[in-house]
Amino acid sequence: MLTSDFNFDLPEELIAQHPSGVRGQDKLMLLNRLTGEVEHHMMDDLPDLIEPGTLMIFNNSRVRRARVYGIKETTGRETEFMFLNTIDKDCCIWNTMVKSAKKQKPGMHYKFPDGTVATIIEHEGNAGTEFRALKFDFAINEDWFERNGHIPLPPYIRRGDTDEDSERYQNVYATDTGSAACPTAGLHFTQEMLARLDAKGIERHFVTLHVGLGTFLPVREVNIENHKMHEEWYTIPKGTADAINKAKREGRPILAVGTTSVRTLESAALRQAQGPQEEWVRAGTSSTSIFMYPGYKFKVVDKMFTNFHTPESTLIMLVSAFAGRDHILNAYKIAVENKYRFFSYGDCMFIR
């Protein structure tokens, strides 16, 4: 299967550069994954579109101010670093993605806004990539990122971050800081919407997947089967695992909010043996490099709430695995014709 099989025409003016005026006031497309039938709704309609007994799973990861600019000691030029994850347990060495990576070499020193200095060091697997290991003399924490960092808006948002992004590029239920990008399907949910879901008896639980760049790096392979995902860490609490297993035993559907929730649940899925099954997932923390594209058989997720994704991305391949490539590309064509807003700050889709 070719990467180009997942391309589509998208006018640049439909790429949302700012959040909607009011959180949650977005268009919602309903897609029937079996027939391809499309309906047009608003986000306010969502509680009426979810059947009673559904269990919703959200990713509660919170975005770190992970984009940080350092001044290169040798040139005095500003260099952009995207902090992804720690390499050592003491939090002194970080894996980062760097602009103009070929020019950023081991031994080079960088000064950050508060005067902190860090050095690029050799790290296995980084040679020839956009990734660099950055070593500090002391552990840096979330306070350091708050002082020095910026909201890591994706590259298709062609502007700098603002105070508005500090609030609007976070989910209202986000609690566990660690993501280098927002799990953006959740941006459509308000506290009022969550209360409406509660009032309808729609059960909801949380997982945590800290979003790295694995989800968003472009597919550079001609054949998608050759693409390798970077690892991301996830946690499934015991209460969430118990709720999922109970719902599956009772034949109730699992609705995953966002592709990161989908990747978490499918990564944790236990092999389905013949005969009665008591567990579909188990609680715990692990890492995943799962890559879902057409042909993948979903084991846990029955319904999906998601945004509209970039052409030729692993995310459009994932939703195509869930609903069928032809259904997805036709739905995206209809979305363009109806001027839906695309990507992180855009409109949303409910696939059932």
Side-chain angles (χ1 to χ4, degrees), residues 13-121:
E13 63 267 20
L14 295 184
I15 301 174
Q17 298 296 306
H18 295 271
S20 57
V22 178
R23 188 191 288 263
Q25 297 301 304
D26 308 300
K27 292 181 180 179
L28 168 63
M29 176 181 285
L30 178 64
L31 172 63
N32 185 312
R33 63 187 288 215
L34 299 180
T35 68
E37 181 183 0
V38 165
E39 295 179 12
H40 302 289
H41 294 271
M42 295 298 291
M43 183 64 188
D44 275 348
D45 301 330
L46 182 65
D48 298 325
L49 302 176
I50 300 175
E51 66 182 90
T54 298
L55 170 60
M56 297 183 74
I57 303 295
F58 295 79
N59 179 9
N60 65 5
S61 182
R62 184 173 177 81
V63 182
R64 171 180 286 131
R65 298 181 74 89
R67 176 173 284 125
V68 190
Y69 297 89
I71 302 299
K72 187 189 293 188
E73 184 181 70
T74 53
T75 64
R77 291 182 178 176
E78 189 174 73
T79 302
E80 178 185 314
F81 293 86
M82 180 74 78
F83 284 70
L84 303 178
N85 56 273
T86 57
I87 293 175
D88 73 327
K89 61 182 175 63
D90 296 322
C91 299
C92 296
I93 303 176
W94 283 75
N95 186 34
T96 67
M97 192 168 80
V98 191
K99 281 285 182 71
S100 305
K102 289 182 180 179
K103 299 179 181 179
Q104 320 307 329
K105 300 176 181 179
M108 290 183 171
H109 303 288
Y110 302 81
K111 180 179 287 188
F112 293 96
D114 66 351
T116 305
V117 175
T119 305
I120 291 179
I121 62 172

Side-chain angles (χ1 to χ4, degrees), residues 35-273:
T35 68
E37 181 183 0
V38 165
E39 295 179 12
H40 302 289
H41 294 271
M42 295 298 291
M43 183 64 188
D44 275 348
D45 301 330
L46 182 65
D48 298 325
L49 302 176
I50 300 175
E51 66 182 90
T54 298
L55 170 60
M56 297 183 74
I57 303 295
F58 295 79
N59 179 9
N60 65 5
S61 182
R62 184 173 177 81
V63 182
R64 171 180 286 131
R65 298 181 74 89
R67 176 173 284 125
V68 190
Y69 297 89
I71 302 299
K72 187 189 293 188
E73 184 181 70
T74 53
T75 64
R77 291 182 178 176
E78 189 174 73
T79 302
E80 178 185 314
F81 293 86
M82 180 74 78
F83 284 70
L84 303 178
N85 56 273
T86 57
I87 293 175
D88 73 327
K89 61 182 175 63
D90 296 322
C91 299
C92 296
I93 303 176
W94 283 75
N95 186 34
T96 67
M97 192 168 80
V98 191
K99 281 285 182 71
S100 305
K102 289 182 180 179
K103 299 179 181 179
Q104 320 307 329
K105 300 176 181 179
M108 290 183 171
H109 303 288
Y110 302 81
K111 180 179 287 188
F112 293 96
D114 66 351
T116 305
V117 175
T119 305
I120 291 179
I121 62 172
E122 298 276 3
H123 184 64
E124 182 180 1
N126 279 357
T129 72
E130 54 267 87
F131 300 100
R132 295 291 183 270
L134 205 56
K135 184 178 187 304
F136 294 81
D137 290 333
F138 59 91
I140 61 173
N141 55 24
E142 296 308 326
D143 288 340
W144 187 90
F145 286 106
E146 287 296 317
R147 292 196 307 272
N148 293 279
H150 294 260
I151 295 295
L153 296 177
Y156 46 75
I157 296 181
R158 304 186 187 282
R159 60 176 177 81
D161 62 308
T162 66
D163 289 342
E164 179 186 40
D165 297 306
S166 297
E167 187 258 332
R168 293 297 298 273
Y169 197 65
Q170 297 280 13
N171 293 316
V172 297
Y173 49 78
T175 56
D176 195 349
T177 302
S179 280
C182 184
T184 53
L187 293 179
H188 304 281
F189 290 83
T190 63
Q191 294 294 353
E192 290 75 17
M193 173 58 71
L194 296 177
R196 287 180 61 197
L197 293 169
D198 291 344
K200 280 205 67 174
I202 304 298
E203 186 181 3
R204 54 188 169 89
H205 284 268
F206 296 96
V207 297
T208 305
L209 182 142
H210 290 316
V211 185
L213 271 293
T215 303
F216 301 100
L217 282 175
V219 178
R220 298 190 176 103
E221 303 286 349
V222 173
N223 297 301
I224 66 174
E225 294 87 350
N226 296 329
H227 177 71
K228 303 297 181 187
M229 296 282 285
H230 287 267
E231 285 193 339
E232 295 166 312
W233 286 91
Y234 69 86
T235 297
I236 300 181
K238 184 178 186 304
T240 299
D242 290 346
I244 291 169
N245 292 325
K246 183 173 186 290
K248 297 299 275 188
R249 287 194 298 270
E250 294 173 351
R252 295 186 286 117
I254 307 298
L255 166 54
V257 176
T259 55
T260 58
S261 296
V262 173
R263 295 182 71 238
T264 298
L265 298 182
E266 294 297 315
S267 297
L270 303 174
R271 186 181 301 278
Q272 295 188 21

